[in-house]
Amino acid sequence: MAFRRRTKSYPLFSQEFVIHNHADIGFCLVLCVLIGLMFEVTAKTAFLFILPQYNISVPTADSETVHYHYGPKDLVTILFYIFITIILHAVVQEYILDKISKRLHLSKVKHSKFNESGQLVVFHFTSVIWCFYVVVTEGYLTNPRSLWEDYPHVHLPFQVKFFYLCQLAYWLHALPELYFQKVRKEEIPRQLQYICLYLVPWSQPDFLYSTEFLFHTARLFYFADENNEKLFSAWAAVFGVTRLFILTLAVLAIGFGLARMENQAFDPEKGNFNTLFCRLCVLLLVCAAQAWLMWRFIHSQLRHWREYWNEQSAKRRVPATPRLPARLIKRESGYHENGVVKAENGTSPRTKKLKSP
């Protein structure tokens, strides 16, 4: 199964071979794991790659529910879904983005940004729907107290843990994609900042996915038509509200909710970090991250406005070219035909003979 059409062959396991065939290599590895499910000897090992591990039964009032703990075996599951994400990345690139970019005839820089935004639009759109489903079904929307009640939350429901495993797999897959996609050196620091921000669990709320989805959608429409900037205005309005909402939620859950819990002790073995020092450190990190994002946003907006006003002022300073007055040309009576002046009656006027002295 080839994801890309190639006209040139490369030496086996060479650098260019790995870059151009990394999705096919990942597909072969995933296929080997799926084939392992068919045999009893290897099925147990195959399930280690596919399903979350450390499941335990938690008794409830009516019955028992299955929750999941965390441990080193989760790294194997994350590795498997990294290869799944690489395959999906190649499918979106080959069958959607490449076909659209060929029609737009973008430059090399815009083509790279178009591919980046296209991939992130698909990811953020999927994350918004999935995260909203988790929030509604697990009762976080109707009961916000569940964010800090029964702390520490070391036992997670299946869909919550699986959601975080897939999120980690996606952002970890973005690191080797910088090499596979041959990203320019100037773009690597910005990409690394973006990836590291999303690798932190508390920086991934549902509304943040919505904001990023709106931004990258606006950028795709801008690449299609540079005069279409209405979605950027909508994104700018939502961005500030999102930063404020994140700070409010962090202060409510960490500053007030956890501060009122009884088990305020430092116990890493049980996953309990509910102390005044830890809460202040987390709040400081959240505030610093949101302030940094807001500063970059304001700096970017000021730069765009400055460039816009400079262009407008430059257009006003350009003097209008004065029109030269039309010169009056004295024409002989009659009209011209084939370069010969004709009289009004259609006959050629006679030339006056000069008398010799």
Side-chain angles (χ1 to χ4, degrees), residues 302-312:
L302 291 176
R303 187 180 71 250
H304 288 309
W305 288 341
R306 194 181 303 114
E307 293 175 355
Y308 173 77
W309 288 113
N310 289 338
E311 292 178 0
Q312 295 297 322

Side-chain angles (χ1 to χ4, degrees), residues 26 29-30 77 129 152 280 291:
L29 295 175
V30 170
T77 308
I129 297 176
L280 289 176

Side-chain angles (χ1 to χ4, degrees), residues 267-279:
D267 191 356
E269 295 182 358
K270 295 182 179 180
N272 190 355
F273 300 91
N274 189 14
T275 61
L276 178 61
F277 176 76
C278 293
R279 292 197 302 269

Side-chain angles (χ1 to χ4, degrees), residues 204-220:
Q204 304 178 23
D206 186 14
F207 35 82
L208 182 58
Y209 289 125
S210 304
T211 305
E212 293 299 314
F213 170 73
L214 184 60
F215 169 73
H216 290 287
T217 303
R219 199 155 74 157
L220 290 179

Side-chain angles (χ1 to χ4, degrees), residues 5 7 17 25 62 88 97 143 147 157 179 204 207 255 304 307 337 356:
R5 302 180 183 91
T7 58
F17 177 86
I25 297 173
D62 299 333
L88 296 177
L97 298 179
N143 184 23
L147 294 174
Y179 171 74
Q204 304 178 23
F207 35 82
H304 288 309
E307 293 175 355
E337 183 179 340
S356 57

Side-chain angles (χ1 to χ4, degrees), residues 82 157 162 177 210 346:
I82 285 176
F162 188 64
E177 284 292 342
S210 304

Side-chain angles (χ1 to χ4, degrees), residues 211-277:
T211 305
E212 293 299 314
F213 170 73
L214 184 60
F215 169 73
H216 290 287
T217 303
R219 199 155 74 157
L220 290 179
F221 278 98
Y222 174 76
F223 289 141
D225 183 7
E226 294 186 355
N227 296 322
N228 192 349
E229 297 183 356
K230 295 181 180 179
L231 284 178
F232 280 114
S233 301
W235 165 75
V238 174
F239 188 88
V241 177
T242 303
R243 305 276 81 77
L244 181 61
F245 193 84
I246 291 176
L247 289 175
T248 304
L249 184 62
V251 173
L252 177 64
I254 301 173
F256 291 95
L258 292 178
R260 296 179 180 180
M261 298 296 295
E262 296 180 357
N263 55 344
Q264 297 189 15
F266 183 77
D267 191 356
E269 295 182 358
K270 295 182 179 180
N272 190 355
F273 300 91
N274 189 14
T275 61
L276 178 61
F277 176 76

Side-chain angles (χ1 to χ4, degrees), residues 80-152:
F80 175 78
Y81 286 99
I82 285 176
F83 289 113
I84 293 288
T85 310
I86 289 175
I87 296 171
L88 296 177
H89 185 112
V91 171
V92 172
Q93 184 68 42
E94 175 70 19
Y95 295 102
I96 300 177
L97 298 179
D98 286 348
K99 293 183 178 181
I100 297 176
S101 60
K102 287 179 181 179
R103 298 181 180 181
L104 297 178
H105 304 288
L106 301 173
S107 62
K108 188 174 182 181
V109 176
K110 288 185 177 180
H111 185 267
S112 176
K113 292 182 178 180
F114 178 84
N115 291 335
E116 176 190 354
S117 294
Q119 294 286 347
L120 290 175
V121 160
V122 176
F123 167 73
H124 287 302
F125 179 73
T126 306
S127 298
V128 165
I129 297 176
W130 191 0
C131 188
F132 183 76
Y133 174 78
V134 172
V135 168
V136 172
T137 55
E138 293 298 327
Y140 298 123
L141 190 63
T142 57
N143 184 23
R145 288 177 172 269
S146 59
L147 294 174
W148 59 82
E149 287 182 347
D150 299 328
Y151 181 84

